[in-house]
Amino acid sequence: MMLEMMTGLRVLDLNRPPSQRNLVDWARPSLIAIKKLKGIMDPRLEQYYPSQGVIKAGELIRKCLDVNPNHRPSMEKVVASLEEINAIRMTPKWLKINNGHLMSPHHEQRYCDHRRENCYRSPLHAKQQGGV
């Protein structure tokens, strides 16, 4: 499921080229290097994500997809990893704070709740909510 969220692709899609129909098989080689991992990220996210979070998520996905079930992490470890990923703050250079709101270079407002760890929203979330 995390792989689907990161790539924006379905786990099985017969409309993709034969080598890309199975998301896990297609993406597995990209989970080992940050440049490759960023290459499979959903472009609709427009890089509104912390790079360190992508690295850790890729590591977690790779561990969960291990061919040997005995090497896969327990759900307790998965939850701990997800909590670590969630705690990573997004601080890209192009993002600036204006009156407590995060602003992108396109002047789209992303509201920031300083009581929470994460002070950003996915552009996809904002579109689903009818804008922020």
Side-chain angles (χ1 to χ4, degrees):
M1 181 168 57
M2 283 182 58
L3 192 54
E4 289 178 285
M5 290 170 46
M6 287 177 62
T7 62
L9 301 172
R10 288 187 229 141
V11 74
L12 186 63
D13 187 347
L14 300 178
N15 295 322
R16 291 196 306 253
S19 64
Q20 298 178 10
R21 288 182 178 164
N22 183 309
L23 179 61
V24 172
D25 292 341
W26 173 73
R28 192 184 305 264
S30 299
L31 298 173
I32 57 172
I34 184 63
K35 285 185 180 182
K36 289 182 178 183
L37 188 56
K38 286 186 175 184
I40 66 170
M41 293 294 293
D42 187 343
R44 295 173 294 182
L45 294 175
E46 300 174 0
Q47 298 184 354
Y48 284 99
Y49 51 81
S51 294
Q52 192 62 35
V54 171
I55 294 168
K56 291 204 177 280
E59 290 171 0
L60 176 59
I61 293 167
R62 192 179 69 248
K63 289 175 185 176
C64 290
L65 295 176
D66 196 304
V67 284
N68 184 340
N70 295 328
H71 294 154
R72 295 178 193 155
S74 66
M75 284 310 294
E76 185 177 325
K77 289 182 180 180
V78 169
V79 169
S81 293
L82 290 172
E83 288 173 346
E84 285 178 27
I85 293 167
N86 188 50
I88 296 170
R89 298 182 58 89
M90 184 172 168
T91 55
K93 294 177 185 175
W94 50 262
L95 210 55
K96 63 181 181 179
I97 296 178
N98 183 10
N99 294 329
H101 297 87
L102 295 179
M103 303 288 289
S104 77
H106 306 292
H107 304 292
E108 297 172 334
Q109 290 189 347
R110 306 272 183 243
Y111 292 97
C112 181
D113 180 354
H114 293 288
R115 294 167 292 180
R116 297 184 56 201
E117 291 275 332
N118 296 323
C119 293
Y120 61 92
R121 283 189 173 198
S122 159
L124 298 177
H125 180 79
K127 288 176 186 173
Q128 291 172 352
Q129 296 292 324
V132 183

